[in-house]
């Protein structure tokens, strides 16, 4: 769909939609909104901002208190939507307005240095201006843009992106396989994984150099590789380093039956991404251990090891560094990360506290737990995680169709 078709769809779809009755398990109030029935540290609560969405993935809190939400509506192509949640007067909840329809599995959503809103769909990224959205939709990558389309292939085709401190755009290009299998069969251990190597490598992060204020791509390259699926990306507020939470491989039990009942292996990873480095997928897993399909790989000599191992199969899909002052000082510059996974280590939100050097390698504190099945509500499944202007953390739960925020009600320490 070109940008003119998008504009037409936008004009046709800017209609308000009534919020359906809550299906979430709630108990009491949180910041004047229904309070989700979960466990949080003292002073915290989780507010339900929107319910009844089909498959919400990305959230973008705006400076005026409104929230943009990408809703994939499922895995069928061209069924996705972009919603605007508008805060009602006197804090009485949110009205929902449909901005865009027929999007191809929209996922990532960020605000650029130009103030424009950037949305990632399969194979492309476009932007628009909220001040005049019907006339201001432009392709940035793919579509009518000069920058070629994103691959959008196989198992990990969704688009996630973040702007770096210098205004360049970093985009996840997920792998099209789990461990470079071919038609379900193990790869040849004597040959490199073809899809993971070369200029157009999958399982990589791309760097797009941007021209401002035009917001156009001047050049791009593969920034780092050996990363199976980089859905969770965040820049450190002090160092500017790009941190990545790796969704590590599955299906290892086929080659290592002894791991059949072990939910902690393989671990997910937390990596610091440096230009032109290789982080080991699919040749290695965990702390640079050779994969069973590539048993003779000298992982420690060839590839960058993770900075931290995360719980196995936790599926980190969104994270952000906490830089506001609403939460207690303990959480300042911590990395707040959502575990989307359906196994025992998933369905929670955690804060990785900074160590003495400021890196998120300190204690892990559970911010949302007991996020289990309750009535019609399934286990929690946080996807995008972002900090709002009010200092609270906003997130989407695609399993339950919710938009939530982690609110701190107790007074912050001076």
């Amino acid at each position: 769909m070109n940008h003119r078709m998008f504009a037409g769809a936008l004009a046709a779809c800017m209609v308000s939609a009534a919020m359906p009755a809550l299906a979430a398990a709630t108990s009491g109030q949180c910041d004047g909104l229904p309070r989700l029935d979960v466990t949080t540290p003292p002073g915290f609560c989780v507010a339900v901002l929107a319910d009844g969405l089909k498959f919400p993935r990305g959230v973008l809190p705006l400076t005026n208190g409104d929230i943009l939400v990408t809703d994939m509506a499922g895995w069928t192509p061209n069924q996705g939507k972009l919603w605007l949640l508008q805060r009602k007067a006197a804090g009485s909840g949110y009205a929902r307005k449909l901005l865009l329809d027929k999007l191809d599995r929209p996922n990532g959503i960020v605000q650029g240095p130009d103030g424009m809103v950037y949305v990632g769909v399969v194979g492309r990224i476009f932007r628009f201006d909220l001040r005049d959205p019907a006339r201001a939709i432009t392709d940035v990558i793919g579509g009518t843009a000069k920058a070629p389309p994103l691959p959008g292939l196989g198992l990990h085709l969704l688009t996630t992106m973040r702007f770096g401190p210098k205004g360049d755009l970093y985009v996840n290009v997920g792998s099209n396989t789990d461990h470079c299998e071919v038609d379900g069969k193990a790869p040849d251990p004597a040959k490199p994984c073809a899809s993971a190597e070369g200029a157009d490598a999958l399982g990589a992060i791309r760097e797009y150099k941007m021209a401002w204020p035009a917001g156009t791509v001047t050049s791009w390259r593969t920034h780092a590789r050996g990363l199976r699926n980089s859905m969770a990306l965040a820049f450190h507020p002090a160092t500017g380093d790009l941190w990545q939470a790796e969704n590590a491989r599955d299906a290892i039990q086929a080659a290592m039956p002894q791991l059949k009942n072990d939910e902690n292996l393989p671990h997910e990873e937390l990596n610091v991404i440096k230009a032109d480095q290789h982080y080991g997928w699919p040749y290695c897993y965990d702390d640079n251990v050779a994969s069973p399909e590539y048993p003779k790989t000298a992982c420690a000599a060839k590839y960058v090891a993770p900075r931290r191992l995360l719980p196995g199969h936790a599926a980190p899909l969104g994270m952000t560094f906490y830089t506001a002052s609403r939460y207690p000082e303990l959480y300042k510059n911590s990395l707040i990360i959502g575990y989307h996974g359906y196994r025992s280590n998933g369905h929670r939100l955690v804060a990785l506290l900074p160590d003495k050097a400021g890196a998120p390698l300190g204690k892990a504190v559970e911010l949302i737990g007991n996020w289990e099945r309750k009535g019609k509500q399934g286990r929690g499944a946080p996807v995008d995680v972002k900090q709002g202007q009010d200092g609270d953390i906003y997130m989407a739960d695609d399993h339950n169709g919710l938009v939530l925020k982690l609110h701190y009600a107790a007074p912050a320490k001076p």
Side-chain angles (χ1 to χ4, degrees), residues 54-294:
K54 289 188 176 180
F55 207 57
R57 299 283 293 187
V59 293
L60 180 60
L62 302 174
T63 55
N64 65 354
D66 294 345
I67 309 161
L68 290 169
V69 182
T70 59
D71 188 346
M72 277 177 52
W75 288 96
T76 303
N78 303 316
Q79 299 299 310
K81 303 177 187 297
L82 178 66
W83 295 99
L84 176 65
L85 304 183
Q86 296 177 302
R87 192 70 191 255
K88 295 178 181 178
S92 58
Y94 289 81
R96 193 168 74 186
K97 180 179 289 187
L98 182 60
L99 293 185
L100 285 172
D101 202 356
K102 308 296 184 184
L103 301 177
D104 191 1
R105 289 157 288 184
N107 185 72
I109 182 167
V110 295
Q111 196 157 19
D114 54 357
M116 302 275 272
V117 177
Y118 290 70
V119 178
V121 296
V122 173
R124 52 195 288 272
I125 295 173
F126 66 88
R127 68 174 187 168
F128 67 93
D129 189 336
L130 273 172
R131 296 171 299 181
D132 189 12
R135 299 183 181 182
I137 297 173
T138 307
D139 289 327
V140 178
I141 299 171
T144 60
K146 292 182 179 179
L150 297 166
L153 298 172
L155 292 180
H156 308 116
L157 46 70
L158 301 181
T159 302
T160 297
M161 63 282 190
R162 291 290 185 270
F163 282 100
K166 296 181 179 179
D168 295 322
L169 187 59
Y170 294 80
V171 182
N172 171 42
V173 177
S175 65
N176 63 334
T177 63
D178 178 73
H179 55 278
C180 203
E181 68 276 11
V182 180
D183 296 327
K185 298 179 181 179
D188 184 345
K191 297 179 180 179
C193 177
S195 66
E197 306 297 342
D200 296 322
L202 305 179
I205 295 173
R206 290 185 178 182
E207 176 189 56
Y208 289 83
K209 294 292 184 182
M210 304 292 293
W212 300 109
T216 55
V217 174
T218 59
S219 64
W220 71 272
R221 70 186 191 104
T222 294
H223 181 68
R225 68 192 70 219
L227 300 159
R228 177 175 173 268
N229 195 21
S230 305
M231 295 297 288
L233 299 169
F235 283 91
H236 193 283
T239 66
D241 288 335
L242 175 59
W243 288 77
Q244 178 259 13
E246 170 79 330
N247 280 252
R249 62 167 295 168
D250 292 313
I252 200 170
Q253 292 84 357
M256 302 176 70
Q258 65 270 30
L259 298 182
K260 183 177 181 180
N261 297 316
D262 192 335
E263 292 204 359
N264 290 309
L265 288 174
H267 288 88
E268 315 288 31
E269 302 172 10
L270 188 65
N271 294 292
V272 178
I273 303 303
K274 300 295 184 181
D276 303 314
Q277 297 297 305
H278 197 302
Y279 290 81
W281 180 88
Y283 315 110
C284 312
Y285 73 97
D286 261 45
D287 195 7
N288 262 349
V289 178
S291 295
E293 295 83 6
Y294 298 92

